[in-house]
Amino acid sequence: MWIYAGRRVIQGIITVWFIATATFVAMHSVPGDPLLSDKAMTAEIRANLAAKYGLDKPVFPDQYMTYIGNMLQGDFGISFTQQNREVNDIIREHFPVSAALGILAVLFAALGGILWGALTALYRNKLPDIIIMFLVILGISVPSFVFAALGQLGLVGLNSWAGQTVLPVAGWGTVSHMLVPALVLGLSTMAFLTRLMRSSMLEIVNSDFVRTAKAKGLPPTRIFLKHQLRNAVLPVITVLGPAIAAITTGGFVVELVFAIPGLGRYFVEAVQQSDYTVIMGTTVFYGAFLVFMVILVDLVYGLIDPRVSVE
Amino acid sequence: MSESIQQSDLVLSPTSFKPLVKEDSEQGISRPSLSYWQDAWRRLKENTRAIVSLYIILGLLAFTVLGPQIWGASGATSDVDQISKAPFANRAATIVEPFEPWDQSKVTASNNGLQLDGDPTTQAVRLVWEPMAASTNGYRIYRNIYPTGPERALGLPLGEVFPSQGTYFEDRLDLSPTYYYYTVVALGDKSRETQEFQSHEFDVTRVITADEAVEKNLIESSSDVAVGDEVMLAWHPLGTDYLGRDMLARLMEGAQVSLFIGIVAPLIYVLIGILYGSTAGFIGGPLDQGMMRFADFVVALPFLLFMIVFKIAFGVESGESGVLPMLIAMVVLLWPATARLVRGQILQIREEGYIDASRLLGAKSSYLIGRHMIPNTMGVILVTLTFAVPSAIFTEAFLSFIGMGVAPPTPSWGSMCNEGLKTMNSTPHELIFPAVLISVTVLAFNMLGDGLRDALDARMRSRE
């Protein structure tokens, strides 16, 4: 177990290094250079600025080594477009917002997916199954930005119907700001998990141990909770890692539409403004986060399901 | 019954037996043998949802390829008379005389609040109002497209009238055929607004001069129509967008981008994946290990983040659509999934009995790959391909939505959604049409993929 965990972590570190290098190479192949700004500057000022930021040194190995070295110390540099603002500060300030939204969305998606999936399997080919599976197909086929737009329209409608602000339409601050964005963010993942849970539950419903439990005369709720649900949930846990990745990147759109000051929206803005240090820092940070999330989920899965040997 | 046949009654002699004659008809019971693909096709045909999806996909392809030939309009030209018009919006315009300057000396002064001189048309709205007692410094004129309401939302300030100019105002500012709520506020000391105002709403009609109509190709020559006749402006079956561009033409052009990326990108990366995976799987050993480690790293890269990073790295020159960088980035990042899948299949098939048998009969590697391995993985590959299309379309839409996809003015469904989202309250059709097309396409490919998986998967077959 520990050997396996160690190997996965080392692999993860190499992947993050790969991400950092690829981002570095990609950013340096962008046409133009960082000192190209609207303001005209003399050659001396240019040279001084280049010297200050180390841009006069060769890209490889000097700039690359500095970049990796700084990164190892947790320093992603300073923003290009916002003077004197460190990328670290930006991440520290905006990531908690994205994380809070993401956690709530994962929670919505996981609980909803498990519940709906179990329901559809229990009522196979009956009305609840048909309705839920229709919604699932809708959830998988409609892009997240459309859901975000509809969610916002719905909020506007709700508020004007109630004559007061029931839930705020956009912004950030309280739990009520989070509810609808998190639901929208988790929706497609919820649909995906529902489908997975349904097929896994259908397999369990027909398995021998469930028949045995029934034959023993156990009450149906006990069979459902103790035997069926517990076993059917396992495959859902394996995809939680990629699901977290999907929700994190899906956050870009939701944060943009609902005006939430999260890291995702910041990343999109940095991309639109060509703020290279912020793009690099955020990409490496997000990349590392996602890589280790997947590893964590895999390891947790090994702990939960004794049948899986992780060696 | 069996009791009645006593053993002693049964007398057997050689004549009791005769050889069974082999009859051909017994062979006829079996149905003609079907190949794997024939069988899969038969099963797919039974799946209504998959077949409907297939027709939808064919329809979408026709919409993309044949559509622009049939519907000749271009998505790049803007119809300035019809901006953000919903489908089936009124497009009648009345022919009027060319614009003449307003001769205010002929106007009778108003004795009943805010009034009009002449008809309110898109050519000009001419306002006349009663002199107000509080006005020491003239008047300010406002126009709104919404009712003024108790909070006195006056809307757009159009201009000010000095005391010397009387009580007349001519509005020619970007008039649309709709209801306008005009308000005239009296200006008091230091040009501050007073509480005294007059307001009225007018239904502005769309008008056009005969010369303008000829210019826009609505009529042959200006002698064909007389003042007061109605002409129809250009027809836009799905309305127009915020720049007056024809939605149907833009949706077709957007489909070319979205479906091109959605189909070509998966085709390329699945092909690369097949080559990579089958090489690694067939050769095996340290080469396989090395190749798969590399694939593992590419898989671990956060996909959308790297799509964005790659897009920036490629850069988009002015005049380029940005489709090619997106295609390359997608291929570079997505091939490993297929490679892994194909390698797994090849490894599995390599151990099968029929491969051993074939090898025993002297088959060469190239024959084994071409005759056994690739045909046997084709089913899985086809299913992967079908599911790859919707995710590619989603990716394109997502990138275009956050402004990282195709560069304007090239339309794609994603960028059209992005543009439509900004005005979804007032002109929802600009968002609805592209969003529905994305959803229907994704849904159709997903259902077809489901159907194909059911039809091609041997495990599913035995379960029924």
Side-chain angles (χ1 to χ4, degrees):
Chain A
M1 175 69 198
W2 290 113
I3 296 168
Y4 173 75
R7 215 172 58 209
R8 283 301 300 270
V9 169
I10 290 170
Q11 251 176 35
I13 291 170
I14 297 174
T15 311
V16 173
W17 167 78
F18 193 78
I19 291 170
T21 308
T23 319
F24 182 84
V25 172
M27 285 295 115
H28 278 268
S29 61
V30 175
D33 76 278
L35 294 181
L36 212 64
S37 72
D38 303 335
K39 277 182 264 172
M41 54 175 92
T42 63
E44 288 153 52
I45 294 176
R46 237 192 112 77
N48 279 341
L49 273 177
K52 184 188 172 198
Y53 289 111
L55 294 170
D56 53 344
K57 297 195 188 107
V59 172
F60 202 85
D62 290 37
Q63 284 192 35
Y64 176 70
M65 289 316 285
T66 315
Y67 165 72
I68 294 286
N70 284 344
M71 216 175 57
L72 283 178
Q73 295 164 29
D75 178 8
F76 288 120
I78 45 175
S79 164
F80 270 20
T81 52
Q82 300 185 22
Q83 286 190 341
N84 296 330
R85 195 148 180 231
E86 283 188 23
V87 179
N88 281 3
D89 289 341
I90 292 171
I91 293 176
R92 204 174 300 133
E93 206 172 300
H94 297 286
F95 181 66
V97 174
S98 292
L101 186 69
I103 289 170
L104 197 60
V106 170
L107 222 63
F108 270 141
L111 291 182
I114 290 169
L115 180 69
W116 300 128
L119 267 182
T120 51
L122 288 185
Y123 291 95
R124 189 183 182 182
N125 293 336
K126 292 193 188 121
L127 195 63
D129 181 28
I130 294 165
I131 292 172
I132 293 173
M133 287 322 280
F134 176 75
L135 292 178
V136 162
I137 288 173
L138 220 60
I140 288 172
S141 327
V142 177
S144 59
F145 47 81
V146 174
F147 277 129
L150 289 178
Q152 213 172 25
L153 263 187
L155 280 180
V156 172
L158 177 76
N159 288 342
S160 65
W161 175 74
Q164 59 184 33
T165 307
V166 184
L167 288 170
V169 173
W172 189 250
T174 61
V175 179
S176 61
H177 284 99
M178 290 168 70
L179 287 176
V180 174
L183 191 65
V184 166
L185 186 51
L187 218 53
S188 60
T189 309
M190 192 195 289
F192 176 68
L193 291 182
T194 305
R195 230 163 109 156
L196 192 73
M197 183 70 190
R198 180 176 186 263
S199 60
S200 130
M201 193 74 175
L202 279 179
E203 235 162 74
I204 299 285
V205 167
N206 296 326
S207 65
D208 292 343
F209 63 85
V210 169
R211 196 175 50 222
T212 311
K214 273 185 195 155
K216 280 199 299 188
L218 287 182
T221 43
R222 198 185 151 82
I223 297 176
F224 176 68
L225 290 175
K226 283 260 171 189
H227 296 266
Q228 296 178 343
L229 208 56
R230 272 177 84 166
N231 282 294
V233 152
L234 289 169
V236 174
I237 294 171
T238 47
V239 298
L240 270 186
I244 290 169
I247 280 177
T248 320
T249 40
F252 295 0
V253 166
V254 173
E255 284 170 17
L256 215 58
V257 172
F258 285 94
I260 293 167
L263 194 55
R265 199 185 79 174
Y266 211 91
F267 179 71
V268 174
E269 275 170 15
V271 163
Q272 284 161 358
Q273 294 167 356
S274 312
D275 194 339
Y276 295 124
T277 39
V278 175
I279 298 172
M280 274 157 91
T282 331
T283 307
V284 174
F285 176 78
Y286 260 140
F289 174 74
L290 295 181
V291 165
F292 283 102
M293 232 30 192
V294 172
I295 294 175
L296 192 70
V297 169
D298 282 359
L299 292 180
V300 166
Y301 187 62
L303 290 180
I304 293 175
D305 191 351
R307 289 171 305 183
V308 174
S309 123
V310 289
E311 298 306 324
Chain B
M1 275 293 282
S2 60
E3 299 278 317
S4 65
I5 303 171
Q6 296 291 317
Q7 212 167 12
S8 55
D9 296 340
L10 206 64
V11 182
L12 293 174
S13 66
T15 54
S16 309
F17 299 92
K18 58 178 180 189
L20 187 68
V21 180
K22 209 175 179 181
E23 284 175 42
D24 283 345
S25 63
E26 273 172 338
Q27 295 290 318
I29 290 172
S30 73
R31 56 184 176 188
S33 79
L34 288 173
S35 76
Y36 174 63
W37 292 105
Q38 281 170 324
D39 189 31
W41 174 239
R42 181 186 61 78
R43 291 169 57 81
L44 191 68
K45 271 197 295 192
E46 284 167 12
N47 189 336
T48 327
R49 288 205 302 188
I51 289 300
V52 170
S53 306
L54 196 62
Y55 280 123
I56 291 174
I57 290 166
L58 290 177
L60 279 167
L61 287 176
F63 178 77
T64 314
V65 179
L66 301 177
Q69 312 290 327
I70 298 166
W71 180 246
S74 158
T77 48
S78 45
D79 185 346
V80 287
D81 294 325
Q82 301 186 72
I83 282 177
S84 290
K85 282 283 168 266
F88 307 114
N90 179 22
R91 54 195 178 88
T94 314
I95 298 285
V96 290
E97 300 277 3
F99 180 75
E100 297 266 350
W102 195 15
D103 186 1
Q104 291 167 347
S105 62
K106 290 180 186 164
V107 181
T108 47
S110 164
N111 53 9
N112 187 20
L114 187 57
Q115 286 187 341
L116 284 171
D117 180 43
D119 291 325
T121 63
T122 51
Q123 201 173 43
V125 175
R126 288 164 174 170
L127 302 169
V128 186
W129 58 93
E130 268 182 275
M132 288 180 237
S135 165
T136 54
N137 256 317
Y139 303 93
R140 189 173 290 147
I141 294 92
Y142 288 92
R143 186 179 84 189
N144 202 347
I145 52 170
Y146 299 109
T148 317
E151 66 274 13
R152 282 184 68 184
L154 299 177
L156 181 71
L158 293 171
E160 284 179 20
V161 172
F162 298 115
S164 61
Q165 290 171 308
T167 54
Y168 309 104
F169 184 81
E170 185 180 41
D171 176 18
R172 298 193 64 197
L173 180 73
D174 193 22
L175 288 158
S176 307
T178 176
Y179 261 97
Y180 281 124
Y181 300 82
Y182 284 96
T183 310
V184 177
V185 182
L187 296 179
D189 202 19
K190 290 179 181 160
S191 288
R192 291 213 184 93
E193 290 180 10
T194 62
Q195 288 300 310
E196 196 173 1
F197 69 98
Q198 293 171 13
S199 61
H200 206 285
E201 81 239 38
F202 303 112
D203 186 9
V204 175
T205 53
R206 185 192 277 126
V207 294
I208 191 168
T209 64
D211 289 342
E212 281 172 346
V214 174
E215 207 176 294
K216 291 180 204 299
N217 288 324
L218 301 177
I219 51 174
E220 289 288 317
S221 79
S222 54
S223 56
D224 288 357
V225 287
V227 169
D229 284 357
E230 270 198 351
V231 293
M232 287 291 173
L233 295 181
W235 185 42
H236 303 290
L238 294 184
T240 53
D241 72 353
Y242 70 112
L243 290 176
R245 295 175 292 195
D246 184 64
M247 282 292 284
L248 182 59
R250 270 177 78 72
L251 283 172
M252 284 168 178
E253 285 170 25
Q256 287 170 1
V257 172
S258 293
L259 286 184
F260 177 76
I261 290 182
I263 292 173
V264 173
L267 271 180
I268 298 175
Y269 74 68
V270 164
L271 197 67
I272 293 176
I274 292 172
L275 292 177
Y276 193 92
S278 56
T279 312
F282 193 77
I283 295 174
L287 183 76
D288 174 37
Q289 288 298 317
M291 283 172 92
M292 281 302 125
R293 272 295 93 74
F294 179 65
D296 283 348
F297 282 127
V298 181
V299 163
L301 295 178
F303 169 60
L304 281 171
L305 284 176
F306 265 79
M307 279 299 290
I308 293 168
V309 169
F310 275 0
K311 273 284 297 178
I312 304 167
F314 282 121
V316 179
E317 307 280 313
S318 65
E320 282 182 48
S321 64
V323 173
L324 202 63
M326 206 170 354
L327 195 74
I328 296 172
M330 226 178 254
V331 169
V332 165
L333 287 172
L334 287 178
W335 60 268
T338 326
R340 277 171 144 187
L341 186 83
V342 171
R343 173 181 171 268
Q345 288 281 317
I346 296 276
L347 285 184
Q348 207 181 331
I349 292 170
R350 209 168 57 166
E351 306 303 320
E352 297 278 350
Y354 57 82
I355 296 288
D356 285 341
S358 189
R359 205 170 257 152
L360 203 65
L361 291 170
K364 291 193 190 77
S365 295
S366 57
Y367 180 84
L368 285 177
I369 293 180
R371 183 78 185 87
H372 291 296
M373 297 199 169
I374 289 185
N376 274 309
T377 46
M378 263 337 265
V380 183
I381 290 165
L382 198 64
V383 173
T384 319
L385 195 63
T386 327
F387 282 120
V389 173
S391 71
I393 289 175
F394 256 9
T395 307
E396 186 277 324
F398 171 84
L399 287 174
S400 294
F401 182 79
I402 63 169
M404 271 287 105
V406 295
T410 310
S412 88
W413 290 344
S415 61
M416 290 178 75
C417 281
N418 186 11
E419 288 160 2
L421 189 69
K422 290 166 192 154
T423 55
M424 66 173 175
N425 246 332
S426 48
T427 55
H429 71 279
E430 287 175 45
L431 173 64
I432 290 171
F433 289 129
V436 164
L437 272 177
I438 294 176
S439 308
V440 167
T441 313
V442 168
L443 182 63
F445 274 102
N446 271 331
M447 297 239 256
L448 182 67
D450 277 341
L452 277 178
R453 192 180 46 200
D454 291 351
L456 294 171
D457 196 333
R459 273 192 313 149
M460 284 293 296
R461 195 170 314 181
S462 59
R463 202 179 291 169
E464 278 178 30

